[in-house]
Amino acid sequence: MAALSTIGLTAEGAAMLLDARAVSCVELAEAYLRRIDAVDGDLHAFLRTHPEETLARARALDEGGRSGIEGVPIGLKDLFSTRGIETTAGSRILEGFRPIIDADVVEACADAGLISLGKLNMDEFAMGSSTEHSAYGPTRNPWNQALVPGGSSGGSAAAVAAGLAPWSLGTDTGGSIRQPAAFCGIVGLKPTYGAVSRYGVVAFASSLDQVGPFALNVRDVALLLSIIARNDPRDSTNVGLPAPVELPEAEDLKGLRLAVPRDQLDAGVDAGVAALFEATVERCRALGAEVSETTLPHAGHGLAAYYLIAPSEASANLARYDGARYGLRVDAPDVHAMYSETRRAGFGAEVKRRIMIGTYALSAGYFDAYYGQAQRVRTLIRRDFAKAFEQYDALLLPTAPSVAFPFGAKLYDPLAMYANDVFTLPVNLAGLPGLSIPCGLADGLPVGFQIIGPAFSENRLLAIGHALERAIEFDPVPPRILEGRG
Amino acid sequence: MAHYDSAMALSDSDVRHVARLARLGLHEDEVAPLRAELETILQHVSAIAELDLAGVPVTSHPLELVNVLADDIPIACATRDDALANAPDRAGDGFRVPPIGA
């Protein structure tokens, strides 16, 4: 047969090829591995692949028989523990670390017959919005290699956009799935807090972290969500989803009440993003939705609350990296010096900044003024959303205020980098689901459209996203990739 | 509540103190640049310290959760060798670390 192209191939499409016996599981996996070999030297989406394990699993499925989604490959953010396979969270401090467990989402993918291609690049410990904070070098945006892919799950987004994997998993603590999905022109979902198990996921900010899918279209995102959202007693905050995930079929938005929280846009949105956002809101009306305007009066404090809560929880979670039991150790004559020198050498600049902010905010005399106050703001933001959802089925916002930015543009200005999450992080503070779909190109770069719903409204968000996606007809394949330059 | 304003102005010794609490080794030439960065971030986030939120409950978890009890069933757990598999310095059945206060 002619060489199989993975560019633009969806997971559902790949399963159909397997069903039709047009390709075997081994041939499909080999096609992705070839694609990675061909372009990932430039893109750097994967931190590592493990072709022998990948092909062994594919061979076992070819020999044992397969059905449904079994045999479709997947890429995994390097934040997920993979038993016996190096897991670094993008940090030097975990270089060479081989977990003794699989994360629940890794197990869930294996249970469903998905085949892992390898581990994807990310900002160190998921702290960042550009993947520039990876200790192993940044990932490049498949639409333009001079630009960042977004972050922290930048490798997960770039891999899918460039045809290195049909779909992937990432995590979203303040926008780390939705923003890179937007920057790379694909679909990304941050599920309701608690829908997906965090067991075996390297912890960043435990009250905010959530695992979610990336794919080329909304149906694939729904399918992958149905695989990973399950009850897991090993994560005490996990509740699963109250109803099974429905594969979306909706073609219109009739009967839906949507609203734009107009006050949020005062934060400032680039002209090209604003124009596409408004055009997409109009499209919602054309598809039959009733679209109003509302406000989220306290969400403006979200950035400050987030940048206290997330670093505080991170400073506690990252206390475990001390050189004693696993990961990097820098030898010193005294145990305290060993801890301090190990952490000095093992953590990058952004991680150190956040550990310092978090330790300061939690230290004696400041706890209530900072962490306590941030948690009260969080209550107000939750109430704002709850009030809006009394009247509306979903809220609409841009995913990010800009398109992908150049390397270095925000690297040395932490506040500018943080501000890129202004439309995504209130959703994490309130524990809600948010879906980002591509809504068009501004200056040749993808723009993300975000749909936010009440807790556990994933099926509604997926239906809205699917109907919109059909109407928009966005082509998620970057032109540079088609021309063979990507 | 005046101490919030003073909290934004960090001294070098504040930075060294917090680094010590965080067990984060800092070389002397790293203190001043880090202090400037932290001050900028704290100035931004300190806005919320001034909000009057008396009576607003804190949110530590976004969902309304209730405690559930699980049956007490023994399951397999990590073996000693598993737990020691990534040890930077293993001594028999333990992790070897440098002495305290050497």
Side-chain angles (χ1 to χ4, degrees), chain A residues 44 47-48 86 88 90-95 121 134-138:
Chain A
H44 198 229
L47 287 176
R48 70 199 68 84
E86 189 181 3
T88 67
S91 182
R92 286 282 168 219
I93 212 160
L94 280 174
E95 194 165 12
N121 199 11
S134 168
Y136 303 97

Side-chain angles (χ1 to χ4, degrees), chain B residues 26-58:
Chain B
L26 271 190
H27 289 191
E28 218 22 61
D29 59 343
E30 294 168 318
V31 173
L34 188 57
R35 175 173 53 76
E37 283 176 5
L38 297 181
E39 272 183 354
T40 308
I41 297 169
L42 284 172
Q43 243 151 35
H44 183 80
V45 299
S46 289
I48 67 166
E50 274 141 46
L51 300 174
D52 180 9
L53 302 179
V56 178
V58 300

Side-chain angles (χ1 to χ4, degrees), chain A residues 48-298:
Chain A
R48 70 199 68 84
T49 55
H50 38 69
E52 282 175 23
E53 284 93 337
T54 300
L55 293 173
R57 290 214 40 156
R59 208 170 296 118
L61 282 168
D62 280 334
E63 286 162 7
R66 58 158 296 283
S67 67
I69 204 67
E70 288 173 335
V72 174
I74 189 168
L76 302 168
K77 187 176 186 179
D78 203 31
L79 202 64
F80 305 126
S81 296
T82 42
R83 189 157 44 112
I85 293 170
E86 189 181 3
T87 299
T88 67
S91 182
R92 286 282 168 219
I93 212 160
L94 280 174
E95 194 165 12
F97 173 64
R98 292 175 190 276
I100 59 171
I101 57 161
D102 277 326
D104 186 66
V105 290
V106 173
E107 245 177 51
C109 288
D111 290 350
L114 303 187
I115 299 173
S116 171
L117 291 164
K119 308 296 289 290
L120 292 157
N121 199 11
M122 53 181 286
D123 285 297
E124 183 177 6
F125 287 107
M127 298 176 192
S129 308
S130 68
T131 320
E132 291 168 289
H133 293 304
S134 168
Y136 303 97
T139 297
R140 296 175 183 280
N141 191 313
W143 290 77
N144 181 338
Q145 294 201 5
L147 306 178
V148 303
S152 67
S153 310
S156 300
V160 173
L164 310 188
W167 53 13
S168 66
L169 287 179
T171 60
D172 191 316
T173 304
S176 284
I177 289 173
R178 289 160 288 162
Q179 183 252 25
F183 280 13
C184 291
I186 61 169
V187 182
L189 172 72
K190 182 256 165 203
T192 305
Y193 184 82
V196 181
S197 172
R198 293 182 295 110
Y199 175 77
V201 181
V202 175
F204 163 17
S206 301
S207 77
L208 302 164
D209 298 342
Q210 193 61 196
V211 181
F214 288 92
L216 291 170
N217 66 26
V218 176
R219 278 179 65 92
D220 271 3
V221 159
L223 194 54
L224 189 47
L225 178 68
S226 74
I227 291 169
I228 60 170
R230 61 179 194 178
N231 284 104
D232 177 17
R234 297 171 297 186
D235 171 5
S236 64
T237 61
N238 164 265
V239 290
L241 284 173
V245 177
E246 293 160 15
L247 280 189
E249 305 280 357
E251 293 181 15
D252 61 50
L253 302 177
K254 286 185 184 126
L256 284 164
R257 300 160 305 164
L258 308 178
V260 177
R262 187 61 64 181
D263 57 338
Q264 298 309 294
L265 300 173
D266 297 344
V269 184
D270 289 1
V273 173
L276 273 170
F277 174 72
E278 300 301 341
T280 309
V281 170
E282 273 316 303
R283 204 184 275 278
C284 291
R285 286 200 178 94
L287 288 168
E290 190 185 299
V291 187
S292 316
E293 300 205 342
T294 187
T295 57
L296 297 169
H298 299 93

Side-chain angles (χ1 to χ4, degrees), chain A residues 451-463:
Chain A
I451 310 155
I452 302 160
F456 303 113
S457 66
E458 275 82 352
N459 281 335
R460 187 189 304 160
L461 299 189
L462 294 164

Side-chain angles (χ1 to χ4, degrees), chain A residues 98 329 334 344 369 373 379, chain B residues 4 30 51 57 59 86 96 101:
Chain A
R98 292 175 190 276
R329 174 185 295 189
D334 168 83
R344 173 186 146 74
Q373 197 78 344
T379 302
Chain B
Y4 300 145
E30 294 168 318
L51 300 174
T59 291
N86 282 287
R96 188 190 346 246

